[in-house]
Amino acid sequence: GNSVTQMEGPVTLSEEAFLTINCTYTATGYPSLFWYVQYPGEGLQLLLKATKADDKGSNKGFEATYRKETTSFHLEKGSVQVSDSAVYFCALSRSGANNLFFGTGTRLTVIP
Amino acid sequence: DTGVSQDPRHKITKRGQNVTFRCDPISEHNRLYWYRQTLGQGPEFLTYFQNEAQLEKSRLLSDRFSAERPKGSFSTLEIQRTEQGDSAMYLCASSLGGQVFNEQYFGPGTRLTVT
């Protein structure tokens, strides 16, 4: 089947700390991979994406690399800010499919 | 482009009542999706429309749930005879057909509480 496993939260970091949120997936074929972010009181927003192996998605200082050999898509940021506090969801879309499969989400809190 | 909108944002209802939610997608998007998100979980796919045609339904979508998109624009999701287990956030998303990577844009959601 298709599934996404994220590291459990919550994660609390000090401002300017390094962030890693682990994500691994199980899928048939060659899925596209996504990170979505949900800020307090707002809807899900696409943060970054990668559509094939070894692609690196990046946005707003966040990066994630599509690793087929380890079936992973870990989210990283070198220096987090208070404004990065949100819930982060890893997701996949199977090739030719229309729906997204989401992980359970990881809540990040950045303290000044 | 005003984004995906959903109405109402919150709904409290008593068990056994029917409720209906509305979703207005981004105007040029021909694909529309409904998801359900319970507390502490990620969104789970419910159903998908391409234009007015409902092309896919999840096993999560019981007989009490029905979705329509009559003119290929806005969509409604109705839940009949609500149960406490239906309490969740109902999310709508839309996308432009033909994309390789199926980038979906989400609305703010409708939070349903069944008492």
Side-chain angles (χ1 to χ4, degrees):
Chain A
N2 300 285
S3 66
V4 175
T5 302
Q6 281 183 243
M7 68 182 279
E8 293 189 12
V11 174
T12 301
L13 294 173
S14 297
E15 207 165 20
E16 299 184 3
F18 184 85
L19 168 71
T20 300
I21 301 178
N22 290 339
C23 171
T24 57
Y25 68 90
T26 301
T28 53
Y30 300 93
S32 296
L33 300 174
F34 307 84
W35 278 99
Y36 277 82
V37 58
Q38 190 169 34
Y39 297 104
E42 298 185 18
L44 281 165
Q45 300 174 27
L46 179 64
L47 179 60
L48 53 84
K49 62 184 181 288
T51 58
K52 60 183 187 298
D54 299 326
D55 267 3
K56 178 185 282 188
S58 62
N59 186 26
K60 299 181 180 180
F62 291 88
E63 292 183 340
T65 301
Y66 188 147
R67 301 284 188 201
K68 191 169 186 299
E69 64 276 13
T70 54
T71 62
S72 66
F73 193 55
H74 304 321
L75 182 69
E76 296 182 337
K77 186 174 185 182
S79 176
V80 293
Q81 305 300 312
V82 172
S83 58
D84 294 326
S85 298
V87 182
Y88 292 82
F89 292 91
C90 186
L92 71 83
S93 176
R94 288 175 302 138
S95 175
N98 299 297
N99 55 304
L100 292 168
F101 293 87
F102 285 88
T104 55
T106 303
R107 181 177 298 278
L108 169 67
T109 301
V110 181
I111 55 177
Chain B
D1 176 4
T2 58
V4 178
S5 61
Q6 293 186 245
D7 184 70
R9 295 290 302 274
H10 303 274
K11 178 71 177 179
I12 300 173
T13 191
K14 293 185 177 179
R15 187 163 50 99
Q17 298 295 304
N18 299 344
V19 294
T20 300
F21 310 140
R22 176 178 170 126
C23 170
D24 286 88
I26 293 172
S27 57
E28 64 267 27
H29 286 183
N30 59 341
R31 295 182 175 180
L32 187 146
Y33 312 79
W34 286 98
Y35 291 81
R36 182 173 68 187
Q37 185 179 15
T38 53
L39 200 61
Q41 301 297 315
E44 295 173 294
F45 171 76
L46 292 178
T47 190
Y48 152 69
F49 290 85
Q50 178 150 316
N51 299 312
E52 66 276 10
Q54 187 173 19
L55 298 184
E56 193 170 342
K57 291 195 287 188
S58 160
R59 286 173 291 180
L60 292 175
L61 211 65
S62 76
D63 291 345
R64 296 184 297 104
F65 287 69
S66 63
E68 294 183 343
R69 193 182 184 199
K71 297 182 180 179
S73 56
F74 73 92
S75 174
T76 58
L77 177 68
E78 181 182 17
I79 308 174
Q80 296 182 326
R81 305 181 303 282
T82 52
E83 302 173 356
Q84 287 187 323
D86 297 331
S87 296
M89 178 77 85
Y90 290 85
L91 299 172
C92 177
S94 69
S95 71
L96 195 57
Q99 293 179 356
V100 172
F101 45 78
N102 191 21
E103 181 172 340
Q104 297 182 20
Y105 295 80
F106 283 80
T110 294
R111 182 172 296 284
L112 173 66
T113 302
V114 181
T115 62

